[in-house]
Each structure stands twice: as structure tokens, then as C-alpha cells.
Amino acid sequence: MAIARPAKRRKISPPDSRTIPSSPESSSQDAYLHDAARWNLEQQYEQRPRKQKKAPESTRLPIKTAEGRIERLVSPGGEQETEDSFFGSEDENASDTQETEVEEKPVGVPIRQQIIEAKEELARTGTLLSEDPEEHIGGFRKLTEIGASSNPTIKKLALATQLAVYKDIIPGYRIRPLGELDSSEKVSKDVRKLRAFEQALVTNYQNYIRELTKHAKASGDSSSEDKASTATVAISCACTLLLAVPHFNFRSELIELLVHKLSTRNRDNDFTKCLETLEKLFREDDDGNPSLDGVTKLSKLIKARDYRIDESVLNTFLHLRLLSELSSRGSQTRIDKHSASSEAPNSKKAKFKKEFRTKKHRKVLKERKAVEKEFKEADAIVSHEERERLQAETLKIVFITYFRILKTRVPNLTGAVLEGLA
């Protein structure tokens, strides 16, 4: 049996592309594929803006291994690696929106936390001012801003902190305002810095006195316990300042604050505090000016109230240093001085040989005397004659007040007047 041969297969070659006409669809597809070969997908991915996610911080304490090395433990949530995904942009945008919404919600700080933060800030600012007030002048404004809080506890803390700061940095002399001549003259850098500090100190101290006066007006207010407690702190600060720095500026404002409290008939703790402060001020006054200011304010108060005041207010005049300081003898034409010539009028004065001094030496002595005079004025040293003049003026106002009370015949003040005249 003959075997059949398989059919011979003819090889068909594909048609040449040059001979077949190309359609517009195939040409655009060929151009698209030809351009896709030149695309740089990695560069476009790098240029794409995306959010860098921060790795979560570990809150676990480090441990020490057996080899002596210290290793930090990673929290279970931080073990998972986060990678940016090219296809997860929509999820990232959604998470960003949620985070923004969470951050926009106001978070209420507890009152206790506010008080703790205010204490820390007050302590930090007060320490800087006490160490170097000239370099930290802005601390005065920061203390004032903290004291403007609506929380009464923070207000009282701010008032007490400012009291401690001013007691510590107030100089031992009165600061005078700068005139046009002082502002225009050329001075050294140190003098200019000192003047700027002094003017800033006076301005902020004046604002502090005004704040004390505003709060002290609410003393004895039974409608609001917070205002009454703040007024008590303000009056206590004013009394402490008046006794600590009676020579400094705005002494009259402090005395007026105390006298305003003494004009009421309500004898509470604030009333007693103001009364004791004025009595102590009169007893410890070596200058004479504070006593004169206090007596002047009290006499005006007594007259304005039509002598309807408490008897203890009038008894403050008994603490004035008048009987012990004023001399029993006096003259309108000359000043009596205790000297050896007054005790022995017939004794001859010893003659002293005049020392020869050169012109240069005399010039040096003259300059030295001028410097000593400036130091004397800066230290607020009042001469004996000036002190007697101030005390005589004070005694005159006291007697005028006594005689006016006797003339009006006020029954509850007659005993105090007779005791004062005696």
C-alpha cells in the first residue's frame, strides 16, 4: 500500500507596509507609541508635589541592653513603614482636609492650666526685669498684658508681681521729665540708654498706679466677690509702695488712693490697712514732703465730707513728727544755730592762717564742690532749714483743720481736736 504524501504548504510572506496605504487611525497610534518611548515617568513622579508624612514619635522609655548599649523602643504603631503611593493622591487629599478641620476646632484650656502658665510667665518676666531692667524694658508691657486677663486670680498675681518688680528696680531718686533742651543736647550712648530706661520706667509705673486706682474703687463691693478681692490686693499693693518708695514719682496719687478709702464709713480691713499706712508714713517721714502731702489730702477730704468722717482719721495727725522736730525758738529775720559763739559770746574766735592755693587748685576745688552739690540733690538730702519750713507748713494746715472743726461744733470730733491741741 502506497503512503500518501502530505500536502505541500506554501509560505506566504506578509505584505510590505510601503505598498499598503496607511489609515489616519493607524498613523496617530504609531505617533503615540513613538512618543511614549521618550517619556520619563520617574521625573514626573519626582516633580509631583506630595506631603511628607512624619514618623510617629515613640513615647516609650529607652532600655539598656546586656552589652551596655542604650536602645530606644519603637512603639507598635511606628513599625509600619509609610510610603507615598502614586495612585493614593486622592486619599492623601482627603486626609489633609480632615486634619485641617480638626486643627480649626478651638481647644479650650482649663482655668487651672491658664493660672499655671500665667505664673510661669510672670516669674520668668519678673526675674529678667530684676536682673537687668535696662535690657528687658519690654517686660513691663508683658506684665500689663497678663494683668489684663479676665481671670481674677491672674489679675491679682500680675498686680503682686509688678509690685515686687517696681520695689526692686525703682532708684533712690525722683526722676524728672525731660525737657526740650535735654532732648536736643548731645549725650553719650550710656546716658541716652539710661534716660530711655528712666522714662519707660516712669510711664509704666504711672500706668500701674492707674490700674491700682481703678481696682481699688471696687473695695467693699458686696455684689461681686471677685472685684472685692481684687480691690483688696490693689489697696495692699498701694500701701506697700507708699511705704517702700515714698520719694519716687506719683506719691500724691498713692496718698489720694488711700484717702479715698478713708472717706467711707465702712471700717473694714482695707480701711484699717490704709489708716495704719498713713500713720506709719507720718512717723517714719524724715523728709517732710510726704507728711505735707498726706495732711493736705486729708484736710481737703475732711472739708469736702463736711466733717462727717471717722474719728480715727483725724487721729492720724497725732503721729506727725512735729513736736519732736520743730524747735521751740525761732526768728523771722535770722536762723538760730547752735555754736560755740552763742554759748560764750565774749570768747574770741581763733584765727586761722589762710592757705595759699594756686589757680589750678582753686578750679579743682570748685568743680569738686559742684559735684558734691549734684550728689546731694540726687540723694534727696533736705537741709535742716527746708525740713523745718515743710513741717511749719504742715502744722499750719493741721491747726486750720482743728479750728474749722471747733467752729462747726462737730460732736464726735471734738475730743480728737482737743487731744491734738493739747
Side-chain angles (χ1 to χ4, degrees):
M1 183 177 180
I3 300 174
R5 292 184 178 181
K8 189 175 182 180
R9 296 180 180 178
R10 307 177 85 180
K11 185 177 180 181
I12 302 173
S13 60
D16 193 358
S17 60
R18 291 175 293 183
T19 59
I20 300 174
S22 59
S23 63
E25 296 179 358
S26 60
S27 62
S28 62
Q29 187 176 3
D30 293 341
Y32 177 79
L33 295 175
H34 186 268
D35 294 338
R38 296 195 300 268
W39 290 355
N40 191 350
L41 299 179
E42 294 181 358
Q43 184 179 4
Q44 292 182 2
Y45 177 73
E46 288 296 330
Q47 292 177 354
R48 170 183 171 79
R50 58 188 180 275
K51 180 182 178 182
Q52 296 290 339
K53 293 187 178 179
K54 296 182 180 179
E57 297 181 359
S58 176
T59 57
R60 304 178 67 179
L61 296 175
I63 62 172
K64 189 173 184 180
T65 60
E67 292 80 13
R69 294 179 301 175
I70 297 176
E71 296 180 356
R72 288 187 173 274
L73 297 179
V74 182
S75 58
E79 295 177 357
Q80 301 177 359
E81 297 182 358
T82 57
E83 298 181 357
D84 295 329
S85 175
F86 179 79
F87 301 99
S89 59
E90 295 181 0
D91 298 338
E92 291 178 0
N93 295 335
S95 62
D96 294 344
T97 307
Q98 293 177 1
E99 291 178 2
T100 306
E101 292 177 357
V102 171
E103 292 175 357
E104 289 178 356
K105 293 182 180 179
V107 180
V109 182
I111 298 178
R112 183 179 180 84
Q113 183 65 23
Q114 293 179 10
I115 296 174
I116 294 175
E117 293 176 357
K119 282 183 179 180
E120 294 176 354
E121 187 64 26
L122 288 170
R124 188 183 306 109
T125 308
T127 304
L128 292 176
L129 284 171
S130 299
E131 291 177 354
D132 194 354
E134 295 184 8
E135 294 293 336
H136 304 90
I137 300 179
F140 294 117
R141 183 177 298 178
K142 185 178 292 185
L143 293 178
T144 306
E145 291 175 355
I146 296 175
S149 174
S150 58
N151 192 327
T153 305
I154 297 178
K155 280 185 180 180
K156 291 184 282 187
L157 289 172
L159 292 177
T161 304
Q162 292 179 79
L163 168 66
V165 170
Y166 285 121
K167 278 180 60 180
D168 191 21
I169 67 177
I170 283 179
Y173 54 89
R174 189 182 183 90
I175 298 176
R176 62 179 180 84
L178 293 178
E180 296 180 359
L181 183 60
D182 298 329
S183 303
S184 60
E185 67 178 352
K186 294 182 179 181
V187 293
S188 62
K189 185 178 179 180
D190 295 337
V191 174
R192 195 184 310 112
K193 184 178 179 181
L194 179 60
R195 285 182 176 179
F197 164 71
E198 289 179 347
Q199 298 305 315
L201 174 63
V202 170
T203 302
N204 289 278
Y205 183 69
Q206 184 180 15
N207 295 333
Y208 177 60
I209 299 299
R210 291 174 179 173
E211 195 72 15
L212 292 179
T213 306
K214 183 181 71 174
H215 291 304
K217 290 181 180 179
S219 177
D221 188 3
S222 59
S223 60
S224 178
E225 185 177 353
D226 294 337
K227 290 184 179 180
S229 61
T230 307
T232 301
V233 174
I235 291 176
S236 179
C237 292
C239 294
T240 307
L241 270 181
L242 185 60
L243 294 178
V245 287
H247 63 277
F248 198 61
N249 303 47
F250 309 109
R251 178 184 60 228
S252 300
E253 283 77 358
L254 290 173
I255 294 177
E256 189 173 355
L257 189 152
L258 272 61
V259 169
H260 177 75
K261 178 59 184 176
L262 295 177
S263 63
T264 61
R265 293 188 176 184
N266 184 17
R267 288 182 59 90
D268 52 1
N269 294 331
D270 296 342
F271 184 93
T272 306
K273 179 74 173 177
C274 295
L275 196 66
E276 293 176 353
T277 301
L278 282 179
E279 292 175 355
K280 190 173 182 181
L281 178 68
F282 291 159
R283 286 195 303 267
E284 299 179 354
D285 181 23
D286 295 329
D287 186 350
N289 280 312
S291 297
L292 181 59
D293 289 346
V295 170
T296 304
K297 298 288 184 183
L298 284 175
S299 64
K300 290 182 179 180
L301 164 70
I302 295 172
K303 186 177 180 181
R305 295 282 298 173
D306 199 13
Y307 309 103
R308 293 191 300 270
I309 60 170
D310 194 88
E311 186 180 359
S312 58
V313 177
L314 193 61
N315 287 333
T316 56
F317 292 161
L318 300 177
H319 298 272
L320 291 168
R321 299 177 61 177
L322 298 176
L323 299 178
S324 59
E325 296 290 339
L326 285 176
S327 178
S328 58
R329 54 177 182 170
S331 175
Q332 296 181 355
T333 57
R334 62 186 179 86
I335 299 175
D336 297 330
K337 295 182 180 179
H338 296 279
S339 59
S341 60
S342 61
E343 296 176 358
N346 298 327
S347 61
K348 296 182 179 180
K349 294 183 179 180
K351 295 183 179 180
F352 296 96
K353 187 177 180 181
K354 189 175 182 181
E355 183 181 357
F356 174 75
R357 296 169 183 172
T358 62
K359 185 177 181 181
K360 185 177 180 180
H361 192 198
R362 289 196 301 270
K363 184 178 180 181
V364 171
L365 290 178
K366 186 177 180 181
E367 292 177 355
R368 188 178 299 173
K369 288 181 179 180
V371 172
E372 291 177 357
K373 184 179 180 181
E374 291 179 0
F375 274 118
K376 185 178 180 180
E377 293 177 355
D379 294 337
I381 299 176
V382 183
S383 62
H384 183 71
E385 292 81 5
E386 180 68 15
R387 186 168 61 249
E388 284 192 351
R389 185 189 67 81
L390 293 173
Q391 290 183 348
E393 186 70 23
T394 303
L395 187 61
K396 176 183 175 182
I397 297 174
V398 170
F399 279 136
I400 290 175
T401 305
Y402 282 161
F403 293 145
R404 284 176 178 173
I405 293 174
L406 291 177
K407 187 177 180 180
T408 53
R409 297 180 181 181
V410 183
N412 60 327
L413 299 180
T414 304
V417 170
L418 295 177
E419 184 180 0
L421 292 174

